[in-house]
Amino acid sequence: MIEIKQLTKLYKTKHQQVQAVDDISLNINKGEIFGVVGYSGAGKSTFIRLINRLEEPTSGTIKINDKDITTMAQSKLRKERQKFGMIFQHFNLLWSRTIYDNIAFPLEIAGVPKNKRKEKVLELINLVGLSGREKAYPSQLSGGQKQRVGIARALANDPDVLLCDEATSALDPETTDDILDLLVSINKKLGLTIILITHEMHVIQKICHRVAVMEKGKVVETGNVLEVFVKPQSKTTKRFVQQLNPLEQQQEAIQSFINSRDDSEVIKLHFIGNSTRRALISEISKKYDVDINILQGSISPTQEGAYGTLFFEINGQKDVIHDAIKYIQASGVEVEVLKHVE
C-alpha cells in the first residue's frame, strides 16, 4: 500500500546541514500496524511528516496505492491528504470548541452537509468511547479523553492511513494502554493502516505487527515484531529490547547463581508463539535422568504471539545432558548454552 524508496530529508542552515532522514526504503502493507521506534533525534517525527508531505522531501519517492505523492501538485495533494488522519503527542485540539465541534471541524472544511456531519460526529464519538461528553470542552477532559477526541477527529474524513506521532508519550501507563487498545480496535473494525512513531518499545510490543528501528536518520533494522524482539540485530534494537526484558541485561548477574559442579550446563531458551505454552522443562525431567534448577524466566505478549526467555541449570551425566539439549532443539525452541560441561 505504501512504498517508500530512498527517502531523504536534509535541513540546511547558514553554518551546517542536518540529515534528518537518510535514504529510507520501506514497504507498509494495507491494514497493518507498523511501528517506527527510535531515541530522541533519530528522525522519526520528520519521517512521519514526510509521508503526507507536511515536510517536503529532499529526495526519494513515496507511493500510496501506486500514486506518487512526492511529485503531486499542491491542488491535488490537498485532496490526497484527506486520506491521511494524524494524531499528535499534545493533542492539538481547538480549546474554544466542544468535543463535538472539534471532531466536526475537518468535516466542515471538507464541505460535508450539516446533517451528514452530525451523523458522522456522533458515530465517531461512540467509536472512541466518549458518548455523553459531546458538549464538554478540552479543558474539562483527562489526557486520555483528549487523545480520544484527537483520534476521532483524525478519522472524520474516513482516511486510509492513520499517522500517530508519539500519540501516547504524554499519557500515564494505564491511559497509554487504553489508547493502544482503542487503536487496535479501530485497526480491526475499519481495516485502517496505522503508522505509529514512538520511543517506547512497550508500545511496539503491545500493538504493532512490524517495526522499523531508526538511528541518526537511518533505518537500522526492520521486521516482524516477534522476530525483532527475539533476535535483535543492531545495538540500538538490543537496547530497546533490554528495556522490556531485564533478563537480557542480567545475563552476567545470573552467573552468581550457578554452582561450580563440573557435571552441569547453563541453558538459555527462547520460546516463541505456541511453544510458550509447552511444559518443556517437565518433559525433560521425566524423559532424562537430570536435575534442573530454574534460574530466571519471563513471558511477554505481542500482536503476533508471545515470546519468552528462560535460564536454567541442568545437572547430570555429560551424554545425557547433550541428549536433553538435542531434544529441546528438536522441539523448535531456540537454545543457547552459556556454560558447558567440562
Side-chain angles (χ1 to χ4, degrees), residues 91 130 141-149 171-172 175 179:
F91 321 124
L130 289 175
L141 304 179
S142 67
Q145 289 171 328
K146 289 171 188 171
Q147 195 57 283
R148 287 173 184 270
V149 177
L171 306 176
D172 62 73
T175 306
I179 294 298

Side-chain angles (χ1 to χ4, degrees), residues 213-233:
V213 181
M214 284 189 69
E215 181 182 8
K216 296 179 180 178
K218 289 181 175 289
V219 169
V220 295
E221 189 166 348
T222 185
N224 176 287
V225 168
L226 199 53
E227 293 172 355
V228 169
F229 270 64
V230 172
K231 295 181 180 179
Q233 301 299 311

Side-chain angles (χ1 to χ4, degrees), residues 97-100 102 132-141:
R97 283 179 168 242
T98 62
I99 288 176
Y100 181 99
N102 264 280
R133 303 303 306 273
E134 296 89 339
K135 296 181 180 180
Y137 287 88
S139 61
Q140 298 171 303
L141 304 179

Side-chain angles (χ1 to χ4, degrees), residues 184-314:
V184 170
S185 174
I186 289 168
N187 169 256
K188 290 177 179 177
K189 286 179 182 176
L190 306 181
L192 195 64
T193 303
I194 299 176
I195 303 175
L196 191 149
I197 301 296
T198 184
H199 65 274
E200 300 171 293
M201 207 59 167
H202 163 72
V203 172
I204 301 294
Q205 177 195 23
K206 187 173 175 66
I207 73 168
C208 294
H209 301 110
R210 289 194 301 137
V211 61
V213 181
M214 284 189 69
E215 181 182 8
K216 296 179 180 178
K218 289 181 175 289
V219 169
V220 295
E221 189 166 348
T222 185
N224 176 287
V225 168
L226 199 53
E227 293 172 355
V228 169
F229 270 64
V230 172
K231 295 181 180 179
Q233 301 299 311
S234 74
K235 288 182 179 180
T236 301
T237 310
K238 288 175 181 177
R239 286 172 64 194
F240 275 117
V241 171
Q242 286 172 355
Q243 291 176 7
L244 291 179
N245 189 358
L247 296 188
E248 297 295 334
Q249 294 176 303
Q250 297 172 9
Q251 189 163 312
E252 291 184 9
I254 287 173
Q255 300 295 326
S256 64
F257 294 98
I258 299 170
N259 69 52
S260 58
R261 289 171 53 173
D262 292 335
D263 61 344
S264 71
E265 287 194 2
V266 176
I267 309 295
K268 177 182 177 183
L269 302 184
H270 281 301
F271 297 88
I272 304 173
N274 290 334
S275 67
T276 58
R277 300 176 181 271
R278 187 171 175 180
L280 189 57
I281 300 301
S282 177
E283 292 175 28
I284 297 166
S285 297
K286 292 175 181 177
K287 191 174 180 66
Y288 298 96
D289 184 19
V290 293
D291 294 323
I292 292 177
N293 176 27
I294 294 175
L295 303 174
Q296 280 188 323
S298 69
I299 295 178
S300 301
T302 75
Q303 280 293 303
E304 300 300 301
Y307 73 98
T309 303
L310 178 68
F311 292 87
F312 68 91
E313 186 178 28
I314 182 168

Side-chain angles (χ1 to χ4, degrees), residues 9 11 18-22 24 36-48 166 197-199 212-220 236 240:
K9 178 63 179 181
Y11 291 104
V18 177
Q19 192 92 34
V21 172
D22 189 358
I24 288 180
V36 180
V37 66
Y39 292 105
S40 179
K44 309 181 301 295
S45 292
T46 300
F47 168 70
I48 202 171
E166 297 280 9
I197 301 296
T198 184
H199 65 274
V213 181
M214 284 189 69
E215 181 182 8
K216 296 179 180 178
K218 289 181 175 289
V219 169
V220 295
T236 301
F240 275 117

